Amino acid sequence: MQAPDKKPQKQSRVRRGFLSAWKRFGRFVINTFYSRFEVSGEETIPNDAGVILCANHVNALIDGVVLQASTKRNIRPLARSGLFENPILRPILQTIGAVPIYRRNTETSDTSKNEDSFSQVYKLLAEKETIVIFPEGQSHANPYVQEIKTGAARMALGAIKANGVAPVVIPVGMTFTRKKRARTEVLVRYGKAIDLSVDEEMSEQDAVRLITLRVKQGIESVTLNTKSWKDMALVHRLERFFALRGGKRRKTSLTQRFTALQRLIEAQDLLQQHEPDKVRSLMSKMRMFERLCDACGIDHYHLAVNYKPLFLILYTLRTLGIVLIGFPIALWGILNSIIPFKLTEYLTRKLSKDVDQYDTARVLIGMSAFSLFWGIQSYLIYDNFSLHWAIIYLTSLFISAVVAISLQGEYRRTLVNLKVFFLFMRKQDLKAYLETKRDELEVELAQMVRIAKRLSKTEK
């Protein structure tokens, strides 16, 4: 009897170990570089079928890491062939099972090899694997979904022919709340499966176009889309205004905020088409109100604060805890990490060609810079003292860095809150005046909402 080949088994164990490490790395990146991470609709991914995830592409290489962190399943990304030529990325891509895609607009790309890539995709789908494709083709910094390529549709229809079973095609939207800023928030939304049914008499080309259109509509349903960043900024301002309506605090759920923003975008489009003068008038009044608040150093949430004795006591205790405990720990982290932090920020701005490349550059540069400087610093402690003190020192770096990150901006917010509190104590009529102006804006906004609802019903 022939002995079982142990080499494939060993390779399989190595790959499983690497995939497990890859998932942990994804979660580490998310927890370190983003302040909040939320996933919605992951239950739409079936466990008993081949899956094609069609995602928007707004943050370069980091998009794949975010997607892997959002699901327990091992995902097989489709990556442009040029990435496999990078000596650092090639072994990583090969180990996680990435499939190369060859583009027509690249001189060194041999598109005839796509036939083998598609065959590999069909095989993976037959084995109930999960494929990830970015149908927009390349990362971008626009506030809307780009025209998408036909690859996802051709793969889905080709898999039906090759395997006799339709894969499940799911749109995925990644929303980064404040791109270009450190410690932003990320929402990953999984949408409803794309309908792959087509008329039997339809030509293959028409079927591909139809499925491509559905894929684009699916991605648009799980992303925020406006004509310009100016329009996007406007709906964010409106959402922020409504979030504190009637003294209520902003909802903590990113999914709820996303839904509110989507509704505001739809209302904005309708109102700009049918009531452009009213929209301009309302926005002018809102800008005047915001300028007045800015001139006084007041934020919207200050108007929602009720300065009762119990609130003041609890806030004072919290502030003292941060000042006496948090700030000293954070200061240790800042003093020991200021050089790699500043270096990361400088090189990120210098090397990033556009907004969509900032997060990828920040992660790669930041991990390299902090590893290098912390390693050198720990070695100097070890060389001058002992291994014991080097371990303690390195541990203190991790702990103090986490505290510094969590308290980022807290010092400035504390000073602003104190300044506003004493301002309201000195000028008690100011808060009442601003609240009155805000109430007037709320009345006009409510009227606009009713008009938008009526227009929406009329169009339907």
Side-chain angles (χ1 to χ4, degrees):
M1 181 181 294
Q2 188 176 2
D5 190 351
K6 295 183 179 180
K7 188 174 180 180
Q9 294 178 4
K10 183 178 179 181
Q11 290 176 341
S12 178
R13 285 197 300 271
V14 170
R15 185 173 183 276
R16 284 198 300 270
F18 186 91
L19 289 175
S20 178
W22 169 250
K23 289 181 180 179
R24 287 196 294 271
F25 169 76
R27 288 191 289 270
F28 168 78
V29 168
I30 294 300
N31 293 330
T32 303
F33 290 89
Y34 298 99
S35 62
R36 184 156 50 154
F37 181 61
E38 190 175 309
V39 181
S40 171
E42 191 194 357
E43 65 277 1
T44 61
I45 306 178
N47 294 318
D48 57 350
V51 177
I52 301 177
L53 300 178
C54 298
N56 63 323
H57 203 6
V58 291
N59 245 348
L61 295 178
I62 209 68
D63 285 342
V65 179
V66 170
L67 280 176
Q68 181 60 83
S70 71
T71 177
K72 295 179 180 178
R73 299 193 61 163
N74 295 325
I75 63 174
R76 300 289 193 97
L78 271 64
R80 58 184 176 85
S81 57
L83 295 177
F84 287 82
E85 298 173 6
N86 187 302
I88 298 175
L89 293 176
R90 183 172 59 249
I92 298 175
L93 292 171
Q94 290 174 341
T95 307
I96 65 176
V99 180
I101 294 296
Y102 302 85
R103 295 179 179 174
R104 291 188 178 89
N105 57 351
T106 305
E107 293 181 2
T108 59
S109 181
D110 184 1
T111 55
S112 65
K113 293 182 180 179
N114 277 333
E115 188 174 339
D116 293 333
S117 296
F118 273 54
S119 297
Q120 187 179 350
V121 167
Y122 303 151
K123 181 181 178 182
L124 291 171
L125 292 173
E127 295 171 354
K128 300 180 180 179
E129 294 274 6
T130 300
I131 302 296
V132 173
I133 184 171
F134 299 100
E136 292 171 291
Q138 60 184 9
S139 180
H140 64 90
N142 295 317
Y144 52 84
V145 176
Q146 301 274 79
E147 286 302 318
I148 68 174
K149 313 299 182 185
T150 59
R154 289 189 289 117
M155 284 179 184
L157 295 174
I160 295 174
K161 290 182 179 180
N163 303 331
V165 179
V168 179
V169 181
I170 297 177
V172 189
M174 289 175 286
T175 303
F176 297 79
T177 56
R178 296 179 302 169
K179 290 180 69 173
K180 200 176 177 179
R181 288 191 182 185
R183 300 288 294 169
T184 185
E185 300 167 328
V186 187
L187 171 66
V188 179
R189 284 179 63 86
Y190 289 88
K192 296 180 180 179
I194 304 295
D195 179 12
L196 298 180
S197 61
V198 294
D199 193 325
E200 293 182 358
E201 297 180 358
M202 186 176 291
S203 68
E204 182 178 349
Q205 190 175 11
D206 288 340
V208 167
R209 277 200 291 263
L210 177 60
I211 301 301
T212 299
L213 175 62
R214 291 174 183 169
V215 169
K216 183 179 182 183
Q217 291 171 340
I219 297 176
E220 287 176 337
S221 71
V222 290
T223 54
L224 299 174
N225 296 273
T226 58
K227 296 176 182 177
S228 67
W229 281 114
K230 182 180 179 181
D231 290 339
M232 184 69 77
L234 172 60
V235 295
H236 274 282
R237 285 161 56 200
L238 289 170
E239 186 274 334
R240 188 164 175 264
F241 192 95
F242 277 114
L244 290 167
R245 191 177 184 182
K248 295 179 182 178
R249 292 185 180 275
R250 180 190 293 276
K251 294 183 176 72
T252 56
S253 169
L254 293 179
T255 302
Q256 290 174 323
R257 193 186 306 175
F258 175 91
T259 302
L261 286 167
Q262 265 195 335
R263 289 173 180 171
L264 284 170
I265 289 171
E266 292 171 3
Q268 180 196 41
D269 289 342
L270 284 171
L271 290 169
Q272 286 184 338
Q273 289 177 27
H274 299 278
E275 301 286 351
D277 293 336
K278 289 184 178 181
V279 172
R280 281 194 293 269
S281 174
L282 179 59
M283 291 306 102
S284 176
K285 292 177 182 178
M286 179 167 281
R287 280 194 295 271
M288 288 179 65
F289 173 75
E290 290 176 342
R291 287 171 185 167
L292 180 59
C293 289
D294 290 341
C296 298
I298 296 169
D299 207 336
H300 283 240
Y301 73 87
H302 289 126
L303 300 178
V305 174
N306 191 346
Y307 294 96
K308 291 183 177 180
L310 180 60
F311 169 82
L312 294 175
I313 292 171
L314 293 176
Y315 181 78
T316 301
L317 291 174
R318 176 182 178 274
T319 302
L320 285 173
I322 292 174
V323 171
L324 297 177
I325 301 173
F327 281 164
I329 297 174
L331 182 61
W332 175 256
I334 292 170
L335 291 174
N336 284 276
S337 304
I338 189 67
I339 296 177
F341 175 77
K342 290 295 184 182
L343 182 63
T344 298
E345 292 300 303
Y346 172 76
L347 291 178
T348 297
R349 291 192 300 269
K350 199 76 174 175
L351 299 178
S352 300
K353 295 179 180 179
D354 211 334
V355 177
D356 61 304
Q357 298 180 6
Y358 267 74
D359 281 14
T360 298
R362 183 178 284 115
V363 170
L364 295 176
I365 296 169
M367 292 186 66
S368 301
F370 276 85
S371 298
L372 175 63
F373 278 85
W374 283 7
I376 293 173
Q377 291 163 209
S378 299
Y379 175 77
L380 291 174
I381 297 295
Y382 163 73
D383 192 45
N384 287 279
F385 296 95
S386 67
L387 178 62
H388 174 74
W389 282 110
I391 293 173
I392 292 176
Y393 175 72
L394 185 59
T395 304
S396 75
L397 292 182
F398 279 104
I399 294 173
S400 59
V402 170
V403 174
I405 289 172
S406 63
L407 294 182
Q408 190 176 29
E410 193 68 38
Y411 177 72
R412 189 192 67 83
R413 281 192 297 271
T414 300
L415 291 179
V416 170
N417 290 338
L418 288 173
K419 177 185 174 184
V420 171
F421 171 72
F422 288 114
L423 177 65
F424 285 160
M425 291 298 100
R426 293 197 318 271
K427 301 180 179 180
Q428 296 184 6
D429 293 339
L430 178 60
K431 188 171 188 291
Y433 174 77
L434 291 174
E435 286 175 340
T436 300
K437 289 295 181 183
R438 180 184 170 84
D439 290 342
E440 292 174 358
L441 277 172
E442 281 193 9
V443 171
E444 289 198 45
L445 281 168
Q447 292 175 348
M448 297 295 281
V449 169
R450 287 194 291 271
I451 293 173
K453 287 181 179 179
R454 187 173 68 248
L455 291 170
S456 180
K457 290 179 181 179
T458 303
E459 291 203 350
K460 289 179 181 179

